PDB file of all heavy atoms in Angstrom:
ATOM      1  N   PRO A 529      65.483-113.202-102.433  1.00 83.00           N
ATOM      2  CA  PRO A 529      66.768-113.148-101.815  1.00 83.00           C
ATOM      3  C   PRO A 529      67.837-113.934-102.747  1.00 83.00           C
ATOM      4  O   PRO A 529      67.615-115.053-103.201  1.00 83.00           O
ATOM      5  CB  PRO A 529      66.680-113.834-100.459  1.00 83.00           C
ATOM      6  CG  PRO A 529      65.253-113.532-100.154  1.00 83.00           C
ATOM      7  CD  PRO A 529      64.514-113.646-101.351  1.00 83.00           C
ATOM      8  N   ARG A 530      68.925-113.337-102.910  1.00 78.00           N
ATOM      9  CA  ARG A 530      70.073-113.857-103.747  1.00 78.00           C
ATOM     10  C   ARG A 530      71.381-113.608-103.088  1.00 78.00           C
ATOM     11  O   ARG A 530      71.439-112.719-102.163  1.00 78.00           O
ATOM     12  CB  ARG A 530      70.051-113.267-105.111  1.00 78.00           C
ATOM     13  CG  ARG A 530      68.958-113.642-106.051  1.00 78.00           C
ATOM     14  CD  ARG A 530      69.024-115.121-106.483  1.00 78.00           C
ATOM     15  NE  ARG A 530      68.195-115.418-107.621  1.00 78.00           N
ATOM     16  CZ  ARG A 530      66.987-116.056-107.512  1.00 78.00           C
ATOM     17  NH1 ARG A 530      66.530-116.232-106.329  1.00 78.00           N
ATOM     18  NH2 ARG A 530      66.308-116.313-108.642  1.00 78.00           N
ATOM     19  N   PRO A 531      72.392-114.356-103.445  1.00 64.00           N
ATOM     20  CA  PRO A 531      73.683-113.949-102.856  1.00 64.00           C
ATOM     21  C   PRO A 531      74.066-112.609-103.529  1.00 64.00           C
ATOM     22  O   PRO A 531      73.364-112.004-104.340  1.00 64.00           O
ATOM     23  CB  PRO A 531      74.620-115.114-103.377  1.00 64.00           C
ATOM     24  CG  PRO A 531      73.883-115.692-104.569  1.00 64.00           C
ATOM     25  CD  PRO A 531      72.425-115.517-104.188  1.00 64.00           C
ATOM     26  N   GLU A 532      75.287-112.132-103.099  1.00 59.00           N
ATOM     27  CA  GLU A 532      75.587-110.731-103.487  1.00 59.00           C
ATOM     28  C   GLU A 532      75.651-110.548-105.008  1.00 59.00           C
ATOM     29  O   GLU A 532      75.326-109.538-105.595  1.00 59.00           O
ATOM     30  CB  GLU A 532      76.918-110.303-102.828  1.00 59.00           C
ATOM     31  CG  GLU A 532      77.211-108.840-103.133  1.00 59.00           C
ATOM     32  CD  GLU A 532      78.402-108.314-102.242  1.00 59.00           C
ATOM     33  OE1 GLU A 532      78.927-109.211-101.502  1.00 59.00           O
ATOM     34  OE2 GLU A 532      78.693-107.203-102.342  1.00 59.00           O
ATOM     35  N   TRP A 533      76.150-111.582-105.759  1.00 67.00           N
ATOM     36  CA  TRP A 533      76.352-111.425-107.150  1.00 67.00           C
ATOM     37  C   TRP A 533      75.492-112.338-107.971  1.00 67.00           C
ATOM     38  O   TRP A 533      74.606-111.914-108.734  1.00 67.00           O
ATOM     39  CB  TRP A 533      77.873-111.624-107.555  1.00 67.00           C
ATOM     40  CG  TRP A 533      78.729-110.655-106.920  1.00 67.00           C
ATOM     41  CD1 TRP A 533      79.748-111.001-105.936  1.00 67.00           C
ATOM     42  CD2 TRP A 533      78.735-109.287-107.051  1.00 67.00           C
ATOM     43  NE1 TRP A 533      80.291-109.834-105.504  1.00 67.00           N
ATOM     44  CE2 TRP A 533      79.772-108.779-106.179  1.00 67.00           C
ATOM     45  CE3 TRP A 533      78.089-108.355-107.831  1.00 67.00           C
ATOM     46  CZ2 TRP A 533      80.090-107.362-106.071  1.00 67.00           C
ATOM     47  CZ3 TRP A 533      78.428-106.997-107.756  1.00 67.00           C
ATOM     48  CH2 TRP A 533      79.374-106.499-106.856  1.00 67.00           C
ATOM     49  N   ALA A 534      75.726-113.746-107.929  1.00 82.00           N
ATOM     50  CA  ALA A 534      75.144-114.667-108.820  1.00 82.00           C
ATOM     51  C   ALA A 534      73.585-114.801-108.514  1.00 82.00           C
ATOM     52  O   ALA A 534      73.176-114.518-107.378  1.00 82.00           O
ATOM     53  CB  ALA A 534      75.813-116.010-108.696  1.00 82.00           C
ATOM     54  N   ASP A 535      72.863-115.362-109.461  1.00 89.00           N
ATOM     55  CA  ASP A 535      71.466-115.657-109.302  1.00 89.00           C
ATOM     56  C   ASP A 535      71.314-117.036-108.618  1.00 89.00           C
ATOM     57  O   ASP A 535      70.306-117.595-108.691  1.00 89.00           O
ATOM     58  CB  ASP A 535      70.795-115.600-110.559  1.00 89.00           C
ATOM     59  CG  ASP A 535      70.153-114.218-110.890  1.00 89.00           C
ATOM     60  OD1 ASP A 535      70.136-113.367-109.933  1.00 89.00           O
ATOM     61  OD2 ASP A 535      69.694-113.954-111.971  1.00 89.00           O
ATOM     62  N   TRP A 536      72.402-117.643-108.094  1.00 91.00           N
ATOM     63  CA  TRP A 536      72.341-118.815-107.328  1.00 91.00           C
ATOM     64  C   TRP A 536      73.476-118.649-106.220  1.00 91.00           C
ATOM     65  O   TRP A 536      74.193-117.785-106.228  1.00 91.00           O
ATOM     66  CB  TRP A 536      72.670-120.059-108.123  1.00 91.00           C
ATOM     67  CG  TRP A 536      73.961-120.111-108.757  1.00 91.00           C
ATOM     68  CD1 TRP A 536      75.143-120.654-108.145  1.00 91.00           C
ATOM     69  CD2 TRP A 536      74.431-119.501-109.943  1.00 91.00           C
ATOM     70  NE1 TRP A 536      76.189-120.508-108.995  1.00 91.00           N
ATOM     71  CE2 TRP A 536      75.843-119.813-110.153  1.00 91.00           C
ATOM     72  CE3 TRP A 536      73.833-118.899-111.031  1.00 91.00           C
ATOM     73  CZ2 TRP A 536      76.553-119.483-111.165  1.00 91.00           C
ATOM     74  CZ3 TRP A 536      74.599-118.503-112.113  1.00 91.00           C
ATOM     75  CH2 TRP A 536      75.912-118.780-112.195  1.00 91.00           C
ATOM     76  N   THR A 537      73.331-119.555-105.200  1.00 91.00           N
ATOM     77  CA  THR A 537      74.417-119.620-104.185  1.00 91.00           C
ATOM     78  C   THR A 537      74.890-121.028-104.128  1.00 91.00           C
ATOM     79  O   THR A 537      74.226-122.084-104.306  1.00 91.00           O
ATOM     80  CB  THR A 537      73.861-119.132-102.905  1.00 91.00           C
ATOM     81  OG1 THR A 537      74.919-119.207-101.903  1.00 91.00           O
ATOM     82  CG2 THR A 537      72.625-119.957-102.416  1.00 91.00           C
ATOM     83  N   ILE A 538      76.112-121.185-103.649  1.00 91.00           N
ATOM     84  CA  ILE A 538      76.672-122.541-103.390  1.00 91.00           C
ATOM     85  C   ILE A 538      76.473-122.898-101.865  1.00 91.00           C
ATOM     86  O   ILE A 538      76.877-123.949-101.467  1.00 91.00           O
ATOM     87  CB  ILE A 538      78.198-122.607-103.684  1.00 91.00           C
ATOM     88  CG1 ILE A 538      79.000-121.573-102.930  1.00 91.00           C
ATOM     89  CG2 ILE A 538      78.370-122.453-105.210  1.00 91.00           C
ATOM     90  CD1 ILE A 538      80.436-121.758-103.199  1.00 91.00           C
ATOM     91  N   ASP A 539      75.903-121.983-101.086  1.00 90.00           N
ATOM     92  CA  ASP A 539      75.693-122.180 -99.707  1.00 90.00           C
ATOM     93  C   ASP A 539      74.109-122.295 -99.438  1.00 90.00           C
ATOM     94  O   ASP A 539      73.538-121.255 -99.278  1.00 90.00           O
ATOM     95  CB  ASP A 539      76.281-121.123 -98.795  1.00 90.00           C
ATOM     96  CG  ASP A 539      76.331-121.463 -97.347  1.00 90.00           C
ATOM     97  OD1 ASP A 539      75.429-122.166 -96.898  1.00 90.00           O
ATOM     98  OD2 ASP A 539      77.229-121.024 -96.692  1.00 90.00           O
ATOM     99  N   ARG A 540      73.665-123.542 -99.419  1.00 90.00           N
ATOM    100  CA  ARG A 540      72.251-123.775 -99.260  1.00 90.00           C
ATOM    101  C   ARG A 540      71.733-123.172 -97.888  1.00 90.00           C
ATOM    102  O   ARG A 540      70.648-122.599 -97.833  1.00 90.00           O
ATOM    103  CB  ARG A 540      71.893-125.235 -99.397  1.00 90.00           C
ATOM    104  CG  ARG A 540      70.343-125.482 -99.350  1.00 90.00           C
ATOM    105  CD  ARG A 540      70.097-126.913 -98.973  1.00 90.00           C
ATOM    106  NE  ARG A 540      68.628-127.021 -98.880  1.00 90.00           N
ATOM    107  CZ  ARG A 540      67.981-126.701 -97.785  1.00 90.00           C
ATOM    108  NH1 ARG A 540      68.584-126.088 -96.795  1.00 90.00           N
ATOM    109  NH2 ARG A 540      66.609-126.781 -97.806  1.00 90.00           N
ATOM    110  N   ALA A 541      72.492-123.359 -96.872  1.00 90.00           N
ATOM    111  CA  ALA A 541      72.044-122.971 -95.507  1.00 90.00           C
ATOM    112  C   ALA A 541      71.877-121.429 -95.493  1.00 90.00           C
ATOM    113  O   ALA A 541      70.857-120.974 -94.837  1.00 90.00           O
ATOM    114  CB  ALA A 541      73.080-123.389 -94.486  1.00 90.00           C
ATOM    115  N   VAL A 542      72.701-120.633 -96.142  1.00 89.00           N
ATOM    116  CA  VAL A 542      72.552-119.187 -96.101  1.00 89.00           C
ATOM    117  C   VAL A 542      71.288-118.856 -96.889  1.00 89.00           C
ATOM    118  O   VAL A 542      70.510-118.001 -96.504  1.00 89.00           O
ATOM    119  CB  VAL A 542      73.756-118.555 -96.768  1.00 89.00           C
ATOM    120  CG1 VAL A 542      73.529-117.079 -97.060  1.00 89.00           C
ATOM    121  CG2 VAL A 542      74.943-118.640 -95.923  1.00 89.00           C
ATOM    122  N   LEU A 543      71.053-119.498 -98.024  1.00 91.00           N
ATOM    123  CA  LEU A 543      69.834-119.275 -98.806  1.00 91.00           C
ATOM    124  C   LEU A 543      68.598-119.609 -98.080  1.00 91.00           C
ATOM    125  O   LEU A 543      67.609-118.861 -98.087  1.00 91.00           O
ATOM    126  CB  LEU A 543      69.964-120.019-100.122  1.00 91.00           C
ATOM    127  CG  LEU A 543      68.832-119.691-101.208  1.00 91.00           C
ATOM    128  CD1 LEU A 543      69.018-118.214-101.688  1.00 91.00           C
ATOM    129  CD2 LEU A 543      68.852-120.572-102.383  1.00 91.00           C
ATOM    130  N   GLU A 544      68.650-120.726 -97.370  1.00 91.00           N
ATOM    131  CA  GLU A 544      67.456-121.140 -96.578  1.00 91.00           C
ATOM    132  C   GLU A 544      67.098-120.138 -95.416  1.00 91.00           C
ATOM    133  O   GLU A 544      65.969-119.818 -95.205  1.00 91.00           O
ATOM    134  CB  GLU A 544      67.725-122.570 -96.017  1.00 91.00           C
ATOM    135  CG  GLU A 544      66.573-123.039 -95.082  1.00 91.00           C
ATOM    136  CD  GLU A 544      65.130-123.085 -95.697  1.00 91.00           C
ATOM    137  OE1 GLU A 544      65.077-123.150 -96.894  1.00 91.00           O
ATOM    138  OE2 GLU A 544      64.179-123.004 -94.953  1.00 91.00           O
ATOM    139  N   GLY A 545      68.191-119.608 -94.860  1.00 91.00           N
ATOM    140  CA  GLY A 545      67.942-118.561 -93.821  1.00 91.00           C
ATOM    141  C   GLY A 545      67.343-117.339 -94.331  1.00 91.00           C
ATOM    142  O   GLY A 545      66.413-116.791 -93.807  1.00 91.00           O
ATOM    143  N   ALA A 546      67.784-116.954 -95.582  1.00 89.00           N
ATOM    144  CA  ALA A 546      67.155-115.738 -96.247  1.00 89.00           C
ATOM    145  C   ALA A 546      65.728-116.019 -96.692  1.00 89.00           C
ATOM    146  O   ALA A 546      64.893-115.176 -96.622  1.00 89.00           O
ATOM    147  CB  ALA A 546      68.053-115.404 -97.454  1.00 89.00           C
ATOM    148  N   ARG A 547      65.451-117.253 -97.153  1.00 91.00           N
ATOM    149  CA  ARG A 547      64.044-117.605 -97.471  1.00 91.00           C
ATOM    150  C   ARG A 547      63.239-117.494 -96.309  1.00 91.00           C
ATOM    151  O   ARG A 547      62.106-116.923 -96.383  1.00 91.00           O
ATOM    152  CB  ARG A 547      64.131-119.058 -98.051  1.00 91.00           C
ATOM    153  CG  ARG A 547      62.665-119.453 -98.653  1.00 91.00           C
ATOM    154  CD  ARG A 547      62.602-120.950 -98.776  1.00 91.00           C
ATOM    155  NE  ARG A 547      62.557-121.646 -97.379  1.00 91.00           N
ATOM    156  CZ  ARG A 547      61.459-121.641 -96.577  1.00 91.00           C
ATOM    157  NH1 ARG A 547      60.266-121.101 -97.061  1.00 91.00           N
ATOM    158  NH2 ARG A 547      61.466-122.262 -95.449  1.00 91.00           N
ATOM    159  N   ARG A 548      63.583-118.042 -95.178  1.00 91.00           N
ATOM    160  CA  ARG A 548      62.709-118.149 -93.872  1.00 91.00           C
ATOM    161  C   ARG A 548      62.432-116.623 -93.563  1.00 91.00           C
ATOM    162  O   ARG A 548      61.341-116.258 -93.145  1.00 91.00           O
ATOM    163  CB  ARG A 548      63.314-118.849 -92.861  1.00 91.00           C
ATOM    164  CG  ARG A 548      63.295-120.356 -93.038  1.00 91.00           C
ATOM    165  CD  ARG A 548      63.574-121.045 -91.690  1.00 91.00           C
ATOM    166  NE  ARG A 548      64.851-120.674 -91.101  1.00 91.00           N
ATOM    167  CZ  ARG A 548      65.968-121.332 -91.245  1.00 91.00           C
ATOM    168  NH1 ARG A 548      65.988-122.361 -92.082  1.00 91.00           N
ATOM    169  NH2 ARG A 548      67.110-120.911 -90.682  1.00 91.00           N
ATOM    170  N   GLY A 549      63.496-115.718 -93.650  1.00 91.00           N
ATOM    171  CA  GLY A 549      63.297-114.429 -93.161  1.00 91.00           C
ATOM    172  C   GLY A 549      62.645-113.436 -94.076  1.00 91.00           C
ATOM    173  O   GLY A 549      61.947-112.514 -93.647  1.00 91.00           O
ATOM    174  N   ALA A 550      62.691-113.676 -95.401  1.00 90.00           N
ATOM    175  CA  ALA A 550      62.272-112.654 -96.348  1.00 90.00           C
ATOM    176  C   ALA A 550      61.219-113.165 -97.385  1.00 90.00           C
ATOM    177  O   ALA A 550      60.515-112.409 -97.899  1.00 90.00           O
ATOM    178  CB  ALA A 550      63.422-112.011 -97.107  1.00 90.00           C
ATOM    179  N   ALA A 551      61.224-114.438 -97.602  1.00 90.00           N
ATOM    180  CA  ALA A 551      60.371-115.050 -98.714  1.00 90.00           C
ATOM    181  C   ALA A 551      59.902-116.315 -98.267  1.00 90.00           C
ATOM    182  O   ALA A 551      60.262-117.376 -99.079  1.00 90.00           O
ATOM    183  CB  ALA A 551      61.061-115.027-100.043  1.00 90.00           C
ATOM    184  N   PRO A 552      59.191-116.605 -97.206  1.00 92.00           N
ATOM    185  CA  PRO A 552      58.798-117.907 -96.732  1.00 92.00           C
ATOM    186  C   PRO A 552      57.964-118.696 -97.663  1.00 92.00           C
ATOM    187  O   PRO A 552      57.852-119.953 -97.522  1.00 92.00           O
ATOM    188  CB  PRO A 552      58.183-117.685 -95.400  1.00 92.00           C
ATOM    189  CG  PRO A 552      57.629-116.291 -95.466  1.00 92.00           C
ATOM    190  CD  PRO A 552      58.596-115.571 -96.342  1.00 92.00           C
ATOM    191  N   ASP A 553      57.255-118.045 -98.641  1.00 91.00           N
ATOM    192  CA  ASP A 553      56.479-118.819 -99.596  1.00 91.00           C
ATOM    193  C   ASP A 553      57.209-119.176-100.772  1.00 91.00           C
ATOM    194  O   ASP A 553      56.598-119.805-101.712  1.00 91.00           O
ATOM    195  CB  ASP A 553      55.179-117.968 -99.861  1.00 91.00           C
ATOM    196  CG  ASP A 553      55.617-116.559-100.436  1.00 91.00           C
ATOM    197  OD1 ASP A 553      56.732-116.085-100.334  1.00 91.00           O
ATOM    198  OD2 ASP A 553      54.692-115.954-101.159  1.00 91.00           O
ATOM    199  N   SER A 554      58.471-118.919-100.892  1.00 92.00           N
ATOM    200  CA  SER A 554      59.270-119.377-102.080  1.00 92.00           C
ATOM    201  C   SER A 554      59.854-120.703-101.691  1.00 92.00           C
ATOM    202  O   SER A 554      59.805-121.242-100.638  1.00 92.00           O
ATOM    203  CB  SER A 554      60.373-118.386-102.339  1.00 92.00           C
ATOM    204  OG  SER A 554      61.344-118.325-101.233  1.00 92.00           O
ATOM    205  N   THR A 555      60.394-121.329-102.763  1.00 92.00           N
ATOM    206  CA  THR A 555      60.886-122.745-102.656  1.00 92.00           C
ATOM    207  C   THR A 555      62.395-122.768-103.055  1.00 92.00           C
ATOM    208  O   THR A 555      62.827-122.135-103.980  1.00 92.00           O
ATOM    209  CB  THR A 555      60.129-123.637-103.593  1.00 92.00           C
ATOM    210  OG1 THR A 555      58.756-123.614-103.265  1.00 92.00           O
ATOM    211  CG2 THR A 555      60.704-125.053-103.474  1.00 92.00           C
ATOM    212  N   VAL A 556      63.149-123.532-102.167  1.00 93.00           N
ATOM    213  CA  VAL A 556      64.644-123.689-102.634  1.00 93.00           C
ATOM    214  C   VAL A 556      64.617-124.729-103.634  1.00 93.00           C
ATOM    215  O   VAL A 556      64.065-125.854-103.506  1.00 93.00           O
ATOM    216  CB  VAL A 556      65.403-124.138-101.412  1.00 93.00           C
ATOM    217  CG1 VAL A 556      66.846-124.536-101.748  1.00 93.00           C
ATOM    218  CG2 VAL A 556      65.351-123.031-100.294  1.00 93.00           C
TER     219      VAL A 556
END
């Protein structure tokens, strides 16, 4: 999971939500 454009996001909370939902074995 990534934000719409960049390979990083400035919103950690959004990324963590995506991690839990789609890639729980990945690391922030």
Side-chain angles (χ1 to χ4, degrees):
R530 289 291 196 261
E532 188 171 358
W533 300 114
D535 268 349
W536 65 88
T537 178
I538 60 173
D539 192 327
R540 185 200 175 280
V542 168
L543 189 65
E544 173 59 22
R547 186 199 69 80
R548 289 196 303 266
D553 58 341
S554 64
T555 300
V556 175

